[in-house]
Amino acid sequence: MTTPVIFLCTGNAARSVMAGAALAAHLPNWHVTTAGTLVVEGQPMSWRTRAALEGVGLAAPHHRSRQATPADLDHAALVVALAPEHVLWVRRTHPPAAARTATLRRLVRDLPSGPEPLADRVAALDLAAVDLEGWEEVLDPGGGDADVFAACALEVVDLVGRLAPRLDPLRECP
């Protein structure tokens, strides 16, 4: 059985795509998807996102931007946001998923490893009640040059690499 995880950013064009590709590389048996909170549907990945992924050694997935739906959020065992505004969007638009939604940075800092099921470890964080803070944001590279996208990819890949063993402590991550 695969564990469904969805990464959220604003346009589903850079940060969530990078994070999804990184987690899929670490946990290939998990069901990893990406979506956005304010999306122009069906847009292809930009050359800057593709180059940034290739620059960190990740294959660029076939990708078209898509809006997060209630079904996506209901299905996910974990909703990983790239900024506090995305957590707030989930809390506002789909409160049932709020207890399973946190920023990538917060999960890296707070999600405990252990043999307990992921759902129990996530529930113990009481995510729906967490006060969000500025340090949790991974800055959007949108509008930046290729080097800004490359720096974002390095940051996201590092964070996901630190999160992956906490998600699945029984699996050794590369």
Side-chain angles (χ1 to χ4, degrees):
M1 183 176 160
T2 63
T3 304
V5 174
I6 186 168
F7 285 95
L8 289 182
C9 69
T10 306
N12 189 218
R15 294 173 291 177
S16 61
V17 178
M18 294 171 186
L23 188 62
H26 282 289
L27 301 174
N29 294 326
W30 284 43
H31 180 189
V32 180
T33 59
T34 68
T37 60
L38 185 63
V39 172
V40 176
E41 289 277 346
Q43 294 299 303
M45 183 185 316
S46 76
W47 69 268
R48 291 176 298 204
T49 300
R50 183 173 307 284
L53 284 168
E54 291 168 356
V56 294
L58 292 172
H62 174 71
H63 176 75
R64 295 282 182 185
S65 59
R66 62 184 205 85
Q67 179 71 32
T69 67
D72 292 329
L73 300 173
D74 286 340
H75 180 68
L78 186 62
V79 180
V80 183
L82 277 293
E85 68 191 67
H86 308 129
V87 175
L88 292 172
W89 180 86
V90 170
R91 289 177 180 177
R92 189 174 58 252
T93 64
H94 199 69
R100 294 175 279 109
T101 303
T103 63
L104 176 58
R105 287 185 180 281
R106 182 168 296 274
L107 289 169
V108 166
R109 188 189 80 174
D110 295 349
L111 183 66
S113 293
E116 300 83 9
L118 177 61
D120 294 346
R121 291 182 286 124
V122 169
L125 296 176
D126 194 21
L127 295 174
V130 164
D131 289 329
L132 300 165
E133 300 177 39
W135 62 266
E136 296 183 67
E137 182 170 6
V138 172
L139 294 176
D140 187 353
D145 292 329
D147 61 330
V148 174
F149 279 74
C152 182
L154 285 170
E155 177 182 11
V156 167
V157 166
D158 174 64
L159 289 166
V160 170
R162 292 169 35 208
L163 177 63
R166 293 168 187 250
L167 294 178
D168 191 352
L170 302 177
R171 175 170 162 64
E172 298 238 350
C173 294

